[in-house]
Structure formats: C-alpha cells, structure tokens
C-alpha cells in the first residue's frame, strides 16, 4: 500500500466505497428504464446476440443501432464498475476478517460475515460467467434435424438423430386458442460422437447437454396433429458450446452456500427476562 | 467526485439515446447491412457473410476465390449464383426485380397454371423452369436433376436433405413479420448472391420514391380511415400484426391500423373476439381471400362466417377489398402496390385511379347470366 502513488490510492478508495455501490445500483435502475423504452418491439436486435460473439454483435447491430443499444453499453459499463466495486469492497473486508480470524479464531460472527462475502463473490462469479458466455460461446444456430437422416453439428464430430417425437395435443380448457395444438413436445434424440453415444429427451424447457454442447429446442413441426399446414416432421435446434455455464452453476452454489450460512450463523439475540 | 460520475454517466446515456436515426454519411465501404432479421456483412473483397431468416450464416465467395475456412461446404455459396430453385412468390419476384429471373430460376413449387408472371410461364413452357411438386413434399430427384446451386425456401425441413445433395439453402422467411423497411430492402439481401447490388439499389430507390409520394400526398389529411387486414377461417382468425409492413404503410398513409398493438409473425393468430371488436370500428377491410376462395361479395363472406357479418366494413357504409390472384406474385412492383393501397385508403387524393392488384368486392354476388357468366 505504501508504495502506491496517490492516484491508484484514490482509485482504490473510490472502488472500495459503499456509496459507489449505491450510486451504481441507482444508475442501473435508471439505465434499465431507458432499456424498457428502447427495447419496445426491437427484441430481435438483441436476439442476434445469442447467436454470435458479443464483439461481432457490437461491431454490427450494436454500433448500427446505437440509439436503441446505448443502454446496453451503459449496462456493460455499470456492471463492470459493480464487479470492481464488489471485488474491492469484499477483498478489503475479507482481508480484515481473515486478520481477525488469525488472532481471535473462527466464531459465529466470523462465519456470518464470511457468508455475506461468499454471496457477494458468487455474484461476481455469475457475472464472469456471463462475460465468458457472451465472448467465448460458439453457437450453431437453427440446425434442422429430421427423422432417418443424421445431422452433424458444424465444426464438431457430433451427429444428431431424431428417433421419436411425442406431440401430445393440448386438451385443457384454460388456454382455448391452444386447444388441439402441441405446446409441450418431447423429442427423443440420439447424440453420437466417435467415443460416445447416448439418447435423451429434449423439450422447450429441457435442454440436453452432450460433450460440452447444449442443445435447445427452437421449433418443431407439425404443430398440431390435424394441421392443414406443413405435416413434415422436423425440429430446429440451437447448439451452444458455452463455457460460462459452469460459472453460473458454481456461482449459484456459492450463493446458496452463503445464504444458508447467513441463516445458520445469524446473530442470536437473547431476551432478558 | 461521485456527483461528477453521476452527471457524466447520465450525459453519456442521454447523448447516445438521443441520436436520431438520420441518414448517415455514406461510408467508403459499407461493411454491415441489416434488413429486418437478415444481415449482410462484407468481411473482405472475397468474403461476404449473409445471415438468413433462420439465423444461419452463409459465406458468399466469388467463383474464382479460395473457399474460406471454418464453413461447411453447404454454407459456402459461389457468386454470382447461376441456378436457383425458389419456393416463395416473393422470392421469385425479388429475382425479377434484380433482373436475374430469366437467367437463373430453374425450379418452382407452384404448377404453371398458378403462375401469373410471364417470365416464369415462358420458362416453364420452354422446360427451363420445372415444377418440383407441392412445397410440402418436393421431388428431390427432380431437384437434383435441375442442379440448382441455391434453394430459396421457407421450409427448414429440407435443409438436411439439401446438405446431403450439396445444395446451399437460404431461409427467406423470418419468425417476426417483415417491417416496411425489410420488405423494401429484401432485394438488397439477395443482391450479393447475384452481384446485382446496383439493381437492388435502383429498385429500393423506386420504392422509396413511391413512399415519399404517398407521404407528400397524404400529409395534412384530416380524416383517417381505419383499416383491418386479416380473415376469419373455420377454426382460426389470422391478421397482419402492427409490426408487419402493412401496419407501417397504413400509418404512413395517414390512416389507422386497428391491429397496430399486435406484434409477431405475419398472419398471426388472434382471438375471434378481438377481430370482431376491432371490426366494429373499421372503415376498410382487406381480406386474405381472393374472389376464387370465397371473397366474391360481402354477402358471401358473411355467409361463410355469419359472425363476421357484424363488422362495419361488411355493412353498407364499409369497404372490403380482396387481393387479385396475381397480387402475391407482384413483389417486384412494390411501388405500385404501396401506391394502390394509399389510393384505396384515400381515393379523393388519387382521382381516376384504376385498381390493379386489389378489387373492391360488391355487396352481393352479381347475377349469373344464362350463359353461365357473371354479369
């Protein structure tokens, strides 16, 4: 610390301030209000981000539609500040906590404070996961798979085969427009590579993971068993190789651990009789 | 310091958000073009990336250039494309707008008797263009025999088979309806496939001029007719959503589109109640049906669906228009179609205008003469 020049010290103090966190959170709320206005009917601009790296998106959609994407750039900036702020604040307080632990040992208060920091750090882990997702994910969008004809995922040795489609028609009465339509298809897929092969059921809310790739159902046909439109049987899937997923799960597990610690080690108030 | 941070941030946000979508000064080389959900990215002189309606990326490469790395063979398209099979009428019309229909189209999915485009009928007469069979079940043997280099389709189910045959494919439909700009600019998406950027630009300018004319003519119009576009079928009610080009054009022509608040795909399904409710306010109703499919008169429409009889346009003071059979194949005449729609909404601004793509349907069917012809 002593070797630091005044400017880095100023920066350090700025990022270790709780006030900064409050300001950033307020600005995030303001920014999301702008997002609400900008997004109206322009979701497809951002939908493209799911299919390409964020750098490609920024250089194309992002820059070309700056009046609608400005809030997103501001969001990136604010989240970066929030991550730095969280890291510095948590690091600062964690260091003090560890020093206290060295002298006084672990007690209930220590575990309680530690749980809070674990929750803060887990948010950072989740945000890093998002950063990895948007910068390093490889996507094969709109891959059509039909029965009896294996489809290869581009750039891999993985082949997909559609084995069976369960298309139960909606028979409830609450969603009248969907009467007789299929809204919850279940697709049995076989995934094959040189060394491994397995089958799994794929659905809209049930993606399938195979050798680091996640398969998401995008659309299917036929939409109803009595459809007068296309009766051809096929599914369209998006395949993502997303290194951020592990970070999300790790972050969520850390967060839950911290939350359990927070409840379990909360300070006990003793009532005096 | 904190206040400074807040002020700088809000200023940054306001400046960026306030940027108007003005005509940007022409760049030396336009590297990215967004047309609705389609995009064209010019990476280099020998590589252009086209993102189709399904979000698939295709590499357009000149015939004499080396194949780019990282793309599967079926995603590489050699330009200019010489042989095309097309599913949609709008795709065929776009080829016509680019001036490549005669030279490139080799297969379609409508039989000859359903075509109103002379170039296509002539091509089918001469055997240069063949009918592949119904769009839901095309004959792959015939397709292979025609040796197309590219298939323009809305049907993703054919992609695996086309990959097997080594034929590239472009999905030309999108999950969300094409807006007015996308409809006009679609020609710019297909242009790089045929090295016809200049023709695309000319077409776009022509359509833009027609819109400018509509805007000028309808400026200051006091009375705004209310328009609805869709149809009630036996089990479904389908309309054009507000985000579709039709909704935007109606608004541009100083009229009110009654499904403006509906967002989604073209021909989107809505509830019957909503259709009937909006129908009570409508002045003009455009049906999807042609006279041959039931839109021969207001009485016939009401007979087909008695509930629909209650909408205002089917009454004596309303107007109902049906597309003529060649309307859906006239995408290369977008300027004329836009003008005609404006003339329908504001007939007082277009005196003596003769309809070419739509017809106003009468209250009742004309009586049939003894010879069997309508009088």
């Amino acid at each position: 610390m002593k070797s630091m020049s005044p400017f880095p010290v100023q920066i350090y103090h700025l990022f270790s301030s709780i006030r900064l966190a409050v300001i950033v959170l307020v600005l995030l709320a303001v920014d999301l209000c702008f997002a609400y206005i900008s997004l109206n009917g322009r979701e497809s601009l951002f939908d493209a981000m799911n299919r390409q790296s964020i750098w490609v998106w920024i250089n194309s959609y992002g820059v070309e539609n700056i009046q609608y994407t400005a809030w997103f750039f501001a969001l990136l900036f604010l989240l970066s500040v929030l991550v730095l702020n969280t890291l510095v604040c948590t690091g600062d307080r964690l260091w003090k906590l560890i020093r206290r632990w060295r002298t006084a040992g672990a007690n209930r208060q220590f575990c309680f404070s530690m749980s809070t920091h674990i929750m803060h750090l887990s948010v950072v882990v989740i945000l890093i996961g998002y950063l990895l997702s948007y910068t390093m994910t490889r996507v094969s969008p709109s891959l059509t798979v039909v029965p009896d004809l294996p489809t290869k995922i581009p750039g891999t040795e993985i082949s997909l085969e559609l084995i069976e489609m369960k298309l139960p028609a909606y028979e409830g009465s609450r969603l009248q427009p969907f009467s007789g339509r299929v809204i919850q298809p279940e697709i049995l897929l076989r995934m094959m590579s040189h060394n491994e092969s397995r089958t799994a059921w794929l659905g809209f809310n049930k993606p399938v993971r195979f050798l680091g790739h996640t398969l998401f159902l995008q659309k299917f046909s036929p939409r109803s068993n009595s459809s007068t439109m296309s009766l051809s049987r096929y599914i369209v899937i998006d395949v993502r190789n997303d290194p951020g997923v592990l970070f999300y799960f790790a972050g969520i597990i850390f967060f839950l651990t911290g939350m359990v610690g927070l409840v379990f080690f909360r300070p006990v108030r003793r009532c005096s009789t | 310091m904190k206040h400074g941070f807040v002020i700088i941030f809000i200023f940054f946000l306001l400046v960026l958000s306030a940027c108007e979508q003005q005509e940007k000064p022409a760049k030396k080389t336009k590297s990215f073009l967004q047309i609705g959900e389609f995009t064209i990215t010019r990476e280099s002189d020998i590589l252009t990336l086209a993102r189709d309606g399904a979000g698939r990326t295709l590499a357009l490469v000149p015939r004499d250039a080396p194949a780019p790395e990282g793309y599967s063979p079926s995603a590489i398209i050699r330009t200019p494309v010489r042989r095309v099979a097309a599913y949609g009428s709008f795709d065929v019309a776009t080829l016509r707008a680019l001036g490549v229909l005669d030279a490139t189209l080799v297969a379609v999915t409508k039989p000859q008797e359903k075509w109103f485009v002379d170039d296509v009928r002539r091509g089918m007469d001469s055997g240069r263009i063949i009918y592949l069979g119904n769009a839901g079940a095309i004959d792959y043997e015939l397709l292979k025999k025609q040796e197309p280099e590219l298939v323009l389709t809305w049907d993703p189910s054919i992609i695996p088979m086309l990959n097997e045959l080594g034929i590239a494919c472009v999905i030309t439909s999108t999950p969300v309806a094409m807006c007015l700009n996308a409809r006009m600019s679609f020609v710019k998406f297909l242009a790089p496939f045929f090295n016809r950027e200049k023709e695309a630009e000319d077409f776009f300018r022509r359509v833009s001029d027609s819109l400018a004319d509509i805007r000028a003519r309808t400026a200051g119009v006091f009375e705004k007719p209310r328009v609805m576009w869709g149809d009630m079928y036996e089990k479904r009610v389908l309309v054009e959503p507000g985000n579709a080009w039709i909704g935007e054009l109606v608004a541009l022509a100083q009229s009110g589109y009654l499904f403006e608040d509906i967002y989604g795909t073209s021909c989107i399904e809505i509830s019957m109640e909503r259709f009937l409710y909006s129908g009570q306010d409508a002045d003009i109703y455009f049906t999807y049906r042609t006279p041959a499919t039931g839109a021969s008169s207001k009485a016939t429409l009401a007979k087909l669906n008695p509930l629909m009889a209650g909408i205002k346009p089917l009454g004596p003071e309303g107007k109902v228009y049906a597309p003529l059979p060649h309307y859906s194949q006239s995408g290369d005449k977008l300027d004329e179609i836009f003008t005609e729609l404006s003339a329908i909404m504001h007939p007082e601004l277009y005196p003596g205008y003769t309809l070419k793509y739509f017809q106003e349907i009468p209250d009742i069917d004309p009586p049939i003469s003894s010879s069997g012809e309508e009088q």
Side-chain angles (χ1 to χ4, degrees), chain A residues 42-53 56-57 60-62 65 139-142 218 238 240, chain B residues 31-43 47-60 71 75-77 150 152-153 159 169-176 178 182 185-186 188-193:
Chain A
R42 299 181 193 95
E43 292 80 359
S44 62
L45 272 181
F46 297 90
D47 184 45
M49 208 190 297
N50 291 324
R51 296 186 176 128
Q52 49 196 286
S53 128
V56 176
W57 184 88
S60 50
Y61 292 88
N65 301 281
V139 188
S140 300
S142 302
Q218 191 199 96
D238 291 327
R240 297 172 66 88
Chain B
S31 60
F32 179 73
L33 179 66
Q34 189 189 343
I35 303 148
E37 299 189 35
F38 303 95
T39 63
I40 292 286
T41 310
R42 202 167 289 279
E43 293 284 333
L47 177 63
T48 299
L49 300 179
R51 184 169 172 264
D52 72 2
R56 300 154 62 244
T57 301
L58 303 154
L60 309 186
Y71 296 92
I76 298 173
I77 298 171
L150 178 67
L152 305 174
T153 182
I159 295 174
C169 169
V170 172
I171 300 290
T172 55
S173 62
T174 51
V176 175
M178 277 195 202
S185 308
F186 182 72
K188 291 188 189 174
F189 171 72
L190 283 190
F193 290 79

Side-chain angles (χ1 to χ4, degrees), chain A residues 30-232:
Chain A
V30 172
D31 186 48
L32 292 176
C33 290
F34 275 91
Y36 178 78
I37 298 162
S38 304
L39 261 178
N40 188 22
R42 299 181 193 95
E43 292 80 359
S44 62
L45 272 181
F46 297 90
D47 184 45
M49 208 190 297
N50 291 324
R51 296 186 176 128
Q52 49 196 286
S53 128
I54 197 162
W55 308 120
V56 176
W57 184 88
I58 286 174
N59 282 319
S60 50
Y61 292 88
V63 173
E64 288 289 320
N65 301 281
I66 192 74
Q67 69 275 33
Y68 305 126
T69 56
W71 69 269
F72 181 75
F73 290 110
L75 184 76
L76 287 182
F77 171 71
L78 288 174
L79 287 179
S80 307
V81 174
L82 189 68
V83 164
L84 283 175
N85 179 242
T86 309
L87 276 177
V88 174
C89 281
T90 308
D92 200 29
R93 281 153 189 77
L94 209 54
W95 177 241
K96 283 176 191 161
L97 196 68
I98 289 168
R99 278 201 341 215
R100 205 167 355 132
W101 167 67
R102 276 185 180 166
T103 54
N107 56 17
R108 195 179 180 89
Q109 180 59 40
F110 169 83
C111 294
F112 180 75
S113 305
M114 198 60 168
S115 301
T116 320
H117 296 313
I118 287 173
M119 284 172 75
H120 284 155
L121 288 174
S122 62
V123 172
V124 174
V125 172
I126 291 172
L127 286 173
I128 290 171
Y130 271 105
L131 184 69
L132 287 175
S133 281
Y134 283 108
T135 51
M136 296 172 71
T137 298
R138 275 179 293 144
V139 188
S140 300
S142 302
L143 215 59
T144 305
V145 188
V146 294
D148 307 323
L149 196 59
T151 299
K152 207 173 158 193
I153 299 175
T156 71
E157 293 302 320
I158 301 172
S159 293
L160 307 171
E161 200 178 327
L162 200 164
I163 299 171
E164 189 186 339
M165 291 177 88
K166 274 190 194 170
L167 305 172
Y170 177 71
E171 289 172 352
S173 56
R174 202 166 58 85
L175 302 170
Q176 197 57 37
F178 293 102
S179 182
R181 309 268 188 91
V182 181
I183 56 175
Q184 281 186 320
E186 285 183 88
I187 318 299
L188 186 60
L189 272 184
R190 177 176 292 131
M191 296 149 290
M192 297 160 286
S193 75
H194 285 317
N195 312 318
E196 206 175 327
S197 168
R198 81 178 170 95
T199 56
W201 287 96
L202 175 74
F204 274 127
N205 292 315
K206 200 176 160 192
V208 169
R209 205 164 157 80
F210 183 69
L211 297 179
H213 294 76
T214 315
L215 281 55
F216 296 90
L217 182 61
Q218 191 199 96
K219 71 179 180 190
F220 67 98
S221 176
R223 308 281 300 192
S224 79
N225 296 328
S226 59
S227 176
T228 51
M229 306 292 277
S230 171
L231 281 173
S232 49

